[in-house]
Amino acid sequence: MSDKDQQYGQQGPKLRDTLSGVPAYVPGKPARGTADGRAAFKLSSNENPYPPLPGVVEAAVAAAGSLNRYPDMGSSGLIAELAQRFGVPEEHIATGTGSVGVAQSLIQITAGPGDEVVYAWRSFEAYPIIVQINGATSVQVPLRADETHDLDAMLAAVTERTRLIIVCNPNNPTGAVVRRGELERFLDAVPADVLVVLDEAYGEFVRNGVGDAADEVPDGIELYRDRPNVCVLRTFSKAYGLAGLRVGFAVAHEPVARALRQTAVPFGVSQLAQDAAVASLRAEPELLERVQALVEERGRVVTALTEQGWTLPEAQANFVWLRLGERTMDFAAACAEAGVAVRPFAGEGVRITIGESEGNDLFLQTAERFRKEL
Ligand SMILES: *Cc1c(COP(=O)(O)O)cnc(C)c1O
């Protein structure tokens, strides 16, 4: 900060107190080539390594011809397509600038100063930021030792001031899941006037085993149908590979969906994003084949890590989590040296996205070397 900036900072406009101490969102580091010129891989932001399908690019390019116009404010084409795809009424859908944009509206419509928002921790780093900028209070409930949500403790944390509960399933950054039996019991016990958000940003990567139904990871859109206080968040950023276009949506009963549409930034979702999202839904079989390839690659990475001697939580999203504690930053540095950008959470652990096989291999080699030094 220059002297002038500092001076103006002290004398300038009064900003809301709630902004002080808001944690910064840390974007995943970009891939940087190694000193000796080897390729680099970005496994730090849970992005889809596949570029968009040709048909999806075409739809976006066609929309670019009308950039002088505002987009369809109600995302009507996209909402019609989503309603059909998920078998829900159009009035139950609200779109936003990424599902983070919708999540921000969810806080706005439920919680302000004096209100509490309950969620697990560690979980998605956007949660504490969007809670605090709205002046509400975060109630963070520690994950269990196996990195899963402690739903009993979350229920116990509900007070008269609780307005919103977020369940991230699978959880970012640990990849662990909440299953049907425990989730239904939890939803049955939450007061009817508290909104529960099921953030399913990675839902397409979940693979259920052959256990009984209570052991399945449920589809939130089935759970919301007869529960007026449940809202499901989905995104086109991960499985559908459109992180750069910023489009996500919520499915919820009419009063909640309507409030979300009321608070959304007008024209926030560009026509490029809307049209590319529609094209993606129409190309879903092809996109889901790519998701399947990533799920198989995830299996290969988990097996290799286990053989190297690592213990890691169940990985149900497009990343793996290594709880490295104080070795976290050393591990991230070793990966960077090998040409792989990962996402460290200092003092806690490292999240590594499943990307191109070559990048995953480089990560595995680094993990193996590191393991031997532990
Ligand atoms: C990536 C992610 C999102 C989606 O973010 P967008 O704003 O849709 O790109 C939402 N929730 C979680 C937990 C995520 O990891």
Side-chain angles (χ1 to χ4, degrees):
M1 235 197 267
S2 71
D3 288 350
K4 220 171 189 181
D5 283 341
Q6 226 150 24
Q7 183 197 340
Y8 290 169
Q10 281 153 15
Q11 299 168 355
K14 269 208 168 306
L15 304 180
R16 291 176 66 195
D17 291 338
T18 51
L19 294 178
S20 65
V22 174
Y25 191 105
V26 182
K29 283 217 165 73
R32 287 206 202 295
T34 56
D36 57 353
R38 277 170 295 128
F41 296 88
K42 185 178 179 212
L43 305 183
S44 54
S45 294
N46 295 345
E47 293 152 334
N48 196 315
Y50 294 95
L53 291 171
V56 173
V57 173
E58 263 167 42
V61 168
S66 306
L67 283 178
N68 53 315
R69 305 287 177 195
Y70 284 108
D72 171 356
M73 182 154 137
S75 301
S76 55
L78 174 55
I79 286 186
E81 197 83 17
L82 286 167
Q84 202 181 21
R85 163 71 180 80
F86 293 106
V88 302
E90 293 184 14
E91 302 72 44
H92 286 197
I93 301 173
T95 56
T97 53
S99 57
V100 173
V102 187
Q104 200 160 334
S105 290
L106 278 165
I107 313 282
Q108 232 177 0
I109 67 169
T110 54
D115 299 327
E116 294 175 351
V117 179
V118 174
Y119 54 88
W121 200 250
R122 171 150 303 262
S123 189
F124 187 28
E125 65 180 313
Y127 301 153
I129 300 173
I130 60 181
V131 170
Q132 197 182 330
I133 60 179
N134 279 292
T137 302
S138 281
V139 177
Q140 302 183 331
V141 179
L143 295 169
R144 292 188 293 212
D146 62 357
E147 311 281 2
T148 61
H149 281 54
D150 187 342
L151 291 180
D152 290 334
M154 288 175 72
L155 194 59
V158 172
T159 71
E160 274 148 47
R161 292 181 299 280
T162 308
R163 291 290 170 273
L164 185 70
I165 304 174
I166 309 174
V167 176
C168 187
N169 199 26
N171 187 46
N172 175 7
T174 65
V177 287
V178 171
R179 291 169 198 282
R180 179 185 299 280
E182 52 178 345
L183 184 56
E184 285 184 351
R185 275 195 302 282
F186 174 77
L187 294 175
D188 288 342
V190 169
D193 61 355
V194 174
L195 185 63
V196 181
V197 175
L198 305 176
D199 184 343
E200 298 185 336
Y202 303 98
E204 296 85 354
F205 294 96
V206 169
R207 290 296 176 270
N208 277 308
V210 284
D212 68 59
D215 285 338
E216 286 172 8
V217 181
D219 176 342
I221 292 183
E222 295 315 314
L223 293 179
Y224 109 96
R225 291 184 194 277
D226 54 2
R227 295 175 194 271
N229 67 331
V230 170
C231 173
V232 184
L233 266 187
R234 299 275 180 94
T235 179
F236 283 94
S237 297
K238 310 285 160 58
Y240 294 87
L242 296 181
L245 278 177
R246 314 307 303 126
V247 52
F249 60 99
V251 179
H253 288 268
E254 165 96 63
V256 172
R258 190 185 325 118
L260 289 174
R261 289 192 294 267
Q262 280 171 335
T263 48
V265 174
F267 306 109
V269 183
S270 72
Q271 202 62 49
L272 270 74
Q274 294 180 35
D275 292 358
V278 168
S280 298
L281 286 168
R282 292 184 184 163
E284 203 171 41
E286 239 173 302
L287 288 173
L288 293 183
E289 270 173 37
R290 293 171 160 194
V291 169
Q292 182 56 25
L294 290 169
V295 166
E296 282 162 25
E297 188 66 9
R298 174 181 78 196
R300 181 178 80 84
V301 168
V302 168
T303 304
L305 289 170
T306 309
E307 282 169 7
Q308 290 174 13
W310 296 94
T311 319
L312 62 164
E314 185 179 9
Q316 286 276 18
N318 65 342
F319 51 83
V320 291
W321 169 251
L322 296 177
R323 194 167 273 282
L324 278 148
E326 59 196 26
R327 305 297 312 277
T328 293
M329 298 316 282
D330 291 344
F331 184 84
C335 287
E337 206 160 301
V340 182
V342 297
R343 174 68 172 94
F345 295 85
E348 292 177 63
V350 181
R351 187 192 69 197
I352 307 99
T353 307
I354 303 298
E356 303 87 335
S357 312
E358 209 186 322
N360 303 336
D361 283 340
L362 273 179
F363 153 63
L364 285 173
Q365 287 158 17
T366 311
E368 186 166 33
R369 272 199 307 276
F370 201 88
R371 179 86 213 155
K372 287 184 181 142
E373 291 163 17
L374 278 182

